[in-house]
């Protein structure tokens, strides 16, 4: 996958309004927008998954990868998991050193967790108040040292996902504080990413309800500190749901697209995978319970992959980066969902995810490569300006 920037790139990707390359869209306050209306592809989301993809899909030259870490303590040795040494959340090994060494020319997107659920301290407030500045300084210094590698920092990713327990004011303040630390350090190889879950159910909490008129405005840290806006896209409709939520995935996604256009910001799909499908076993199930039924590889492609790529193509004026999670979810303890157990219950704590490895089926792999190796749509290197 991808690499780097240089002095001319830094001039092009400055914090001033600029027309990037031959693009027809002018983005403000933005770094690392691929030129010529092309998209950048990331593969994630753990070191094991990325290693397996590199071995099984050598036809893809790996422009970018995505991994995760956290900023949840004043002592750098108690947080920044995976950045310096291997870490695991029971969802695959996360080792930045291993993955970056294996893909020396890849850009990286980092999901930086600040979530506060389950009796944790209020990490966003601690970040905003400077209580974690020692850890933040080490994080920014480390990411800066990776230059000219491009770093896309997803600060408090899925900020409006009910499972993260963020509150708008402290979240925005934390985001701004992190951006200030980046700028104060002169870390021009880091772009900030503001990622919505675009989840269709707020469970009665208006802060998480994407239907609210000012939903995104309520959470937005500001044009001056956000380089990219972003969203998760695991589904485009409710075909793999076993209930009808108050909204639809498409509603939130379209609303975020409109927000990106209104703010002249490029959009990254920071998390995407065909949840509920199994590419090796060739099954399909609802996401709230593991109840698989047979499906062909062609059906999986037509039901999820082709509409996904069509969605990107239809909105390529703003969708300029996409991260695909290419993993066998059921091989990782965090994502196990035993048959006939409802999501949120023991045995299916985080819902039914399945198997999204494109290499697990030859037909899906061939169709995938046909798409992502199309040089008219996807940039094939990170060495762009």
């Amino acid at each position: 996958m991808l690499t780097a920037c240089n002095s001319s790139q830094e001039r092009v990707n400055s914090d001033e309004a600029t027309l990037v390359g031959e693009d027809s869209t002018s983005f403000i306050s933005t770094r690392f927008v691929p030129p010529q209306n092309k998209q950048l592809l990331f593969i994630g989301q753990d070191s094991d998954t990325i290693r397996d993809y590199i071995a099984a899909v050598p036809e893809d030259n790996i422009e970018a990868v995505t991994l995760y870490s956290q900023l949840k303590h004043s002592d750098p040795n108690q947080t920044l998991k995976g950045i310096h040494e291997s870490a695991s959340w029971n969802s695959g090994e996360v080792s930045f050193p291993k993955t970056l060494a294996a893909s020396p020319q890849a850009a990286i997107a980092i999901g930086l967790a600040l979530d506060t659920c389950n009796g944790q301290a209020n990490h966003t407030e601690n970040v905003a108040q400077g209580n974690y500045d020692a850890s933040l300084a080490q994080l920014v210094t480390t990411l800066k040292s990776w230059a000219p590698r491009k770093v896309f920092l997803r600060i408090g990713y899925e900020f409006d996902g009910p499972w993260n327990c963020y509150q708008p004011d402290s979240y925005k303040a934390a985001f701004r504080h992190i951006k200030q630390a980046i700028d104060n350090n002169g870390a021009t190889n880091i772009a900030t990413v503001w990622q919505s879950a675009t989840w269709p159910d707020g469970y009665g909490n208006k802060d998480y309800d994407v239907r609210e008129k000012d939903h995104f405005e309520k959470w937005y840290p500001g044009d001056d500190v956000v380089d990219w806006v972003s969203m998760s896209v695991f589904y485009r409709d409710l075909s793999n749901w076993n209930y009808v939520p108050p909204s639809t995935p498409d509603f939130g996604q379209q609303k975020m697209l409109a927000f990106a256009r209104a703010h002249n910001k490029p959009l990254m799909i920071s998390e995407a995978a065909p949840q509920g499908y199994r590419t090796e076993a060739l099954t399909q199930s609802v996401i709230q319970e593991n109840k698989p039924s047979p499906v062909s590889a062609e059906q999986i492609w037509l039901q999820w992959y082709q509409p996904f790529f069509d969605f990107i193509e239809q909105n390529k004026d703003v969708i300029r980066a996409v991260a695909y999670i290419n993993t066998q979810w059921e091989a990782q303890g965090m994502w196990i969902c035993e048959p006939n157990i409802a999501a949120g219950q023991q045995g299916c704590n985080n819902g039914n995810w399945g198997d999204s490895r494109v290499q697990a089926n030859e037909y899906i792999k061939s169709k995938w490569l046909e798409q992502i190796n199309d040089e008219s749509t996807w940039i094939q290197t990170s060495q762009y300006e």
Side-chain angles (χ1 to χ4, degrees):
M1 285 179 153
L2 160 136
T3 83
C5 70
N6 54 32
S7 58
S8 62
Q9 177 183 3
E10 291 174 10
R11 290 194 296 273
V12 172
N13 293 309
S14 68
D15 285 338
E16 299 175 359
T18 182
L19 185 66
V20 181
E22 300 177 11
D23 291 350
S24 59
T25 301
S26 179
F27 296 116
I28 62 170
S29 302
T30 294
R31 293 169 176 160
F32 314 146
V33 181
Q36 300 176 320
N37 288 326
K38 293 185 180 182
Q39 287 81 37
L40 173 64
L41 179 66
F42 293 76
I43 296 294
Q45 60 182 354
D46 61 84
S47 296
D48 296 335
T49 282
I50 296 166
R51 178 203 62 213
D52 292 347
Y53 180 85
I54 291 171
V57 192
E59 302 90 341
D60 182 7
N61 62 332
I62 312 299
E63 298 81 25
V65 296
T66 183
L67 292 173
Y68 290 75
S69 190
Q70 55 184 218
L71 181 58
K72 295 186 176 184
H73 202 279
S74 58
D75 181 355
N77 295 318
Q78 300 298 315
T79 190
L80 307 182
K81 304 298 185 181
I83 296 285
H84 301 292
E85 298 177 351
S86 178
S88 175
W89 291 272
N90 204 21
S91 55
E93 180 186 22
V94 174
S95 172
F96 284 74
K98 287 184 180 179
T99 296
L100 297 185
S103 300
Q105 299 202 349
I108 186 165
I110 301 173
L112 187 66
L114 314 171
D115 52 291
T116 62
C117 295
N118 303 318
Q120 298 183 67
N122 192 323
H123 300 302
T124 52
E125 285 191 2
N126 279 315
V127 169
Q129 293 170 7
N131 297 334
Y132 294 173
D133 275 0
S135 296
L136 176 57
Q138 185 176 119
L139 172 66
V140 174
T141 298
T142 300
L143 303 189
K144 181 182 178 181
S145 74
W146 295 348
R149 192 190 297 268
K150 297 177 177 71
V151 177
F152 295 76
L153 189 61
R154 296 159 46 207
I155 300 171
Y157 60 92
E158 293 188 328
F159 56 81
D160 53 357
W163 48 87
N164 285 323
C165 304
Y166 295 129
Q167 295 301 312
D169 289 345
S170 61
Y171 169 79
K172 290 185 292 186
F175 194 109
R176 296 189 68 86
H177 190 78
I178 292 171
K179 171 61 172 173
Q180 183 178 21
I182 293 169
D183 290 346
N184 289 347
N185 194 294
T188 56
N189 67 314
I190 303 174
T192 58
V193 182
W194 177 73
Q195 179 189 349
S196 169
T198 55
W199 184 251
D201 197 339
Y203 306 112
N205 188 324
K206 289 187 176 182
D207 284 342
Y208 307 134
D209 191 340
V210 73
R211 297 174 302 167
E212 292 291 303
K213 183 179 180 180
D214 64 344
H215 176 74
F216 291 131
E217 288 77 8
K218 178 190 298 185
W219 288 93
Y220 192 53
D223 283 342
D224 59 325
V225 295
V226 172
D227 290 318
W228 290 69
V229 302
S230 173
M231 62 186 179
S232 301
V233 181
F234 291 103
Y235 5 74
R236 297 280 297 117
D237 57 32
L238 297 172
S239 57
N240 279 17
W241 289 56
N242 64 1
Y243 79 99
V244 179
S247 183
T248 66
D250 180 66
F251 178 85
Q253 293 160 15
Q254 294 296 338
K255 191 171 181 178
M256 178 55 86
L257 287 166
F259 187 94
R261 293 183 176 107
H263 287 260
N264 293 321
K265 296 290 184 180
L267 186 143
M268 174 187 290
I269 296 177
S270 291
E271 298 183 39
Q275 185 180 0
Y277 290 93
R278 290 169 176 81
T279 53
E280 183 173 50
L282 296 180
T283 64
Q284 176 188 15
S285 173
V286 295
I287 66 174
Q288 294 87 6
E289 188 176 357
N290 185 359
K291 299 178 67 174
S293 59
V295 65
S296 69
E298 292 87 346
Q299 286 174 313
I300 293 176
W301 186 266
L302 290 174
Q303 290 173 14
W304 193 88
Y305 288 95
Q306 192 60 60
F308 179 68
F309 284 115
D310 289 345
F311 175 64
I312 295 168
E313 174 66 21
Q314 292 159 7
N315 296 284
K316 64 182 181 181
D317 60 311
V318 289
I319 298 178
R320 307 304 296 279
V322 176
Y324 181 77
I325 304 174
N326 188 78
T327 197
Q328 172 37 308
W329 300 84
E330 295 174 317
Q332 300 177 349
M334 178 181 288
W335 310 112
I336 288 175
C337 184
E338 301 291 345
N340 303 312
I341 296 178
Q345 303 299 312
Q346 186 174 358
C348 189
N349 291 332
N350 293 295
N352 177 41
W353 287 86
D355 180 358
S356 59
R357 295 171 300 155
V358 297
Q359 71 267 26
N361 181 274
E362 283 301 318
Y363 176 83
I364 291 174
K365 177 184 174 182
S366 67
K367 296 290 286 183
W368 169 264
L369 288 171
E370 180 182 319
Q371 286 283 344
I372 60 105
N373 285 334
D374 181 353
E375 295 185 12
S376 68
T377 298
W378 300 92
I379 194 163
Q380 302 297 311
T381 175
S382 65
Q383 297 182 21
Y384 60 85
E385 297 184 1

